[in-house]
Amino acid sequence: MEQAGGRTNAVLAKLTVVGDLLLLQLTFLVLSAGIITLFPAAFALQRVLPEAISQERTGLMRLYFREFRWAFKRFWMSGFGLYVGGVMLAFGLAFWANSSGPVRIFALAILIPLTGMIIGLYLSGLAVLRDAGTDATMKTVFRQANLFLLRRSLAVAGGVVGLLTWFALASQVPTLLVIGSGLVPALIAYWLGGGQRRTESEEKDSGDVSI
């Protein structure tokens, strides 16, 4: 009986985590409807993801909105720049992929690796953002993301492949975008970062540069 009760509790705990993650995804979709709120919503999701998975804190949605306000105040302009740059890069890829001639090969040879590098840097930025201090800026996050990318280049490359594979599947099954447009990049970055957010004591003891 005790064993069966333990299994039931474990299943309920996992269902609670899944429910919280889906609730965060739904909130992300609503908040990201405005262009300038897209990346702040993604950054806030990244910062509360460890709490959603560990179930160590209550008031998850209150925490998410607090992190969103923080991210919006500090990163809305940079996020808008990322959005514009992403749209331009996607347009360039689509244009040259449907063009013809030798110039097409040259252009794609530049754009495809550039896209992979940008996605890898973005995932690295998400991975370091979860531990960023409240005084973090885009400059400090970008610097830490570059260092993270250099240290864990193979893992980040795997994350890029995984994310692109998921987007390829989502292009065929659009429902996947509703379920995981924010969660999938966040979970990949969470995995790249090694799981749980560091505690305050660990951050103080760490020799890494604080951001």
Side-chain angles (χ1 to χ4, degrees), residues 52 55 62 75 123 127 155 176 187 198 203-204:
Q55 294 287 298
R62 183 169 63 252
F75 302 117
L123 290 175
L176 292 177
L187 288 170
R198 292 179 299 170
E203 290 175 357
K204 291 178 181 179

Side-chain angles (χ1 to χ4, degrees), residues 44-106:
L45 175 59
Q46 189 65 48
R47 285 173 68 83
V48 301
L49 188 66
E51 279 71 21
I53 293 176
S54 66
Q55 294 287 298
E56 292 179 353
R57 296 183 61 173
T58 58
L60 188 63
M61 295 310 300
R62 183 169 63 252
L63 177 62
Y64 179 79
F65 282 111
R66 187 179 71 192
E67 294 289 355
F68 173 76
R69 288 192 296 270
W70 172 82
F72 184 80
K73 290 178 181 178
R74 305 191 74 85
F75 302 117
W76 75 267
M77 187 175 295
S78 301
F80 180 71
L82 288 173
Y83 176 84
V84 173
V87 170
M88 293 176 63
L89 185 60
F91 176 80
L93 285 170
F95 175 81
W96 289 111
N98 292 283
S99 300
S100 58
V103 180
R104 167 180 177 268
I105 299 176
F106 176 76

Side-chain angles (χ1 to χ4, degrees), residues 127-149:
V128 301
L129 186 67
R130 67 177 192 177
D131 293 323
T134 55
D135 59 342
T137 64
M138 182 57 73
K139 182 179 179 180
T140 56
V141 171
F142 180 76
R143 183 172 67 246
Q144 289 296 311
N146 271 292
L147 293 175
F148 184 91
L149 181 59

Side-chain angles (χ1 to χ4, degrees), residues 124-187:
S124 299
L126 290 180
V128 301
L129 186 67
R130 67 177 192 177
D131 293 323
T134 55
D135 59 342
T137 64
M138 182 57 73
K139 182 179 179 180
T140 56
V141 171
F142 180 76
R143 183 172 67 246
Q144 289 296 311
N146 271 292
L147 293 175
F148 184 91
L149 181 59
L150 289 174
R151 293 195 203 104
R152 305 205 59 194
S153 55
L154 289 178
V156 174
V160 171
V161 172
L163 185 59
L164 291 178
T165 301
W166 180 82
F167 273 119
L169 292 174
S171 66
Q172 303 299 317
V173 187
T175 306
L176 292 177
L177 289 173
V178 178
I179 298 174
S181 55
L183 274 180
V184 171
L187 288 170

